[in-house]
Amino acid sequence: MSSALKEKPYAEEVPTTSPASVILNGRYLPPPEDKDGRLWVRTSALIQASTNDLYAMWRNVEAAPGWQEQIKHVAVTGERTSHWVMQSGEKTIEWDSEILADEPGRRIAWRSIGGDSDNAGEVIFEQAPGSRGTVVTVLQAFRIDKLTSAWETFTGRNPKQAVIENLRHFKALAETGEIPRTQGQPHEDRGLIGKMKISTYGEKVPTPSGSN
Amino acid sequence: MKAVCWMGKSKVETLTVADPKLLNPHDAIIKVTRTAICGSDLHLYDGFIPTMESGDILGHEFMGVVEEVGKEVTNLRRGDRVVVPFTIACGNCLFCKKKIWAACDNSNPNAHLMEAAYGYSGSGLFGYSHMMGGYAGGQAQYARVPFANVGPLKIESDLPDEKVLFLSDIFPTGYMAAENAQIQSGDTVAVWGCGPVGQFAIASAFMLGAARVIAIDRIPERLEMARSLGAITVDYSEEDVSVLTALKDLTGGIGPDACIDAVGLEAHSAQLQGTYDKVKVALMMETDRPSVLRQAIQAVRKGGTLSVPGVYGGLLDKVPFGAAFGKGITMKMGQTNMHNYMKPLLERIEKGQIDPSYIISHRITLEQAPEMYKVWRDKKENVTKIVIDPWANAAA
Ligand SMILES: NC(=O)c1ccc[n+]([C@@H]2O[C@H](COP(=O)([O-])OP(=O)(O)OC[C@H]3O[C@@H](n4cnc5c(N)ncnc54)[C@H](O)[C@@H]3O)[C@@H](O)[C@H]2O)c1
Ligand SMILES: [Zn+2]
Ligand SMILES: [Zn+2]
């Protein structure tokens, strides 16, 4: 590294790599592109909590229905495996999931191993520069056709947006102990068009309870 | 309960809807004792703010008595009298910790809508579109208040509602506008708009050390009110008045040290420029009418400060950014970081330094609200501020 700039009183070392591949050799890496029926989503949040606490909260998969949209039930079935049940409107889908990497306080990686969902993901917990909290980065991939994805965008959430919203719920729950919500508050009847719009705003997707 | 509902552009109705319930552990239900109509509500009424939906309950300025609290609310009890800030803040995210409460990360359930429009989402607001959270508002008999452990200000003295109600928005908003103007003692400050926000900006500018305040509007009773606070007034609608010349004349040719735009996106303009903006907005090539913003950028002195409490929503045309750069000005703006100001301003009221109720012109019932939205928009009947008593009988 050049020594041209000597005065950097608060600079921190540039990481050479970060596990969810946001940085490689000092360069920003864009998220993977959607290809051959595989959709990718990468999202991150700055959370005011420790890497260890956030890791523990994520690792407790049986509590996932409290903050992940449309997840009805999760059961631990082995040391690294769990069974997931998701309900989207009338539709119920189920799959098994296996943890591929488990580094306490740092990183969890998983993939589905049979069932109705083909997904794989990774979450990392890193201290933010300047100790301003923990940066949580999620990288997730799905196999799904574009048409379903477009339809789901219209009717509620497509899976990409769901990953983004889930991390938002996770952050709110970690920082405040609840997930902000408006479902169940009073309003006058909205009429047909109003109802459709509410649905495109994503307000029809049930907000997770925020508790176990 | 009865509530004022937005039923479409220029269409507001008082209707009977369900009572609010506790939905989250930090919620409180407030029995609303006083609420007000704000200049910001006009932007909704006139259809300038996207993602309003028919059926939404309006209102973000309200106070009342705690009726019920969620299981995690430890600082409030049934029966407490509180003023509720219009921005909803969690108290724990990075932004709340930095005291930029209006940028709270955790209070907007529809953050993705605002992210799409603005890059990042601000805090949720009461009764102010789905993009800003979709929360039911306070022009109603009851309201649900999220993060009630953080926002509501307890009123422990026996000050009447009318003296403290405006701590819910416009007094702190006017105060932050003056703070954002970075006033140094001896400064001359120009304020566009002598509505409620402008009034409190004028009063606060004096409190923060302004030697002279110049107030600009066209409505006689509002200009009169500004003079009563000690401001020099300029009526921009008078035929031979040019605001820019007036401000030069009144500052020895150097311009005001700070300018405050307390008008926002629905600025009125009689000139050709006004027609230009109306046409562009109608054609959806522009969303806001920034004639005051343009004027204020032009007017402020070299190295001066422009503070913008007036609301802007979208895309602005012909903003003289070159002038801003050329003079090296500072611009500060945004939704009010309410939680910073409520307590210190309450103390000023308690000490008798200011009585915010002086701006009230109309006291009405919920049933009268739809009619009064029109009066408020058209600035008829010498209206300066409308306060609603949600429990008053229509016949009274
Ligand atoms: N930043 C915030 O958090 C916040 C909070 C509350 C209100 N606001 C905004 O502040 C603004 C003012 O609110 P208000 O309640 O005082 O509204 P208001 O409508 O009562 O006042 C606006 C005033 O501006 C005057 N005006 C219009 N065009 C003008 C021009 N070209 N030059 C000078 N004056 C002009 C009008 O005559 C009127 O008196 C609104 O945009 C409102 O949305 C912002
Ligand atoms: Zn307001
Ligand atoms: Zn917050």
Side-chain angles (χ1 to χ4, degrees), chain A residues 140-156:
Chain A
Q140 207 164 326
F142 312 87
R143 220 166 255 294
I144 190 170
D145 62 80
K146 286 235 166 78
L147 196 67
T148 337
S149 170
W151 172 248
E152 282 175 330
T153 304
F154 186 71
T155 52

Side-chain angles (χ1 to χ4, degrees), chain B residues 48-122:
Chain B
F48 275 90
I49 305 287
T51 73
M52 281 301 287
E53 259 345 298
S54 55
D56 290 345
I57 299 174
L58 286 166
H60 59 268
E61 301 183 355
F62 61 99
M63 65 176 297
V65 177
V66 176
E67 180 84 7
E68 203 185 342
V69 293
K71 63 179 197 302
E72 299 289 338
V73 179
T74 48
N75 55 333
L76 292 180
R77 266 198 233 141
R78 187 183 156 88
D80 283 347
R81 245 178 110 212
V82 291
V83 179
V84 180
F86 79 100
T87 55
I88 305 169
C90 80
N92 292 318
C93 68
L94 183 76
F95 296 95
C96 286
K97 285 190 172 164
K98 283 180 179 291
K99 305 207 174 300
I100 318 172
W101 310 87
C104 174
D105 259 348
N106 290 322
S107 57
N108 185 349
N110 294 329
H112 67 106
L113 294 176
M114 205 162 160
E115 272 174 1
Y118 293 171
Y120 306 94
S121 171

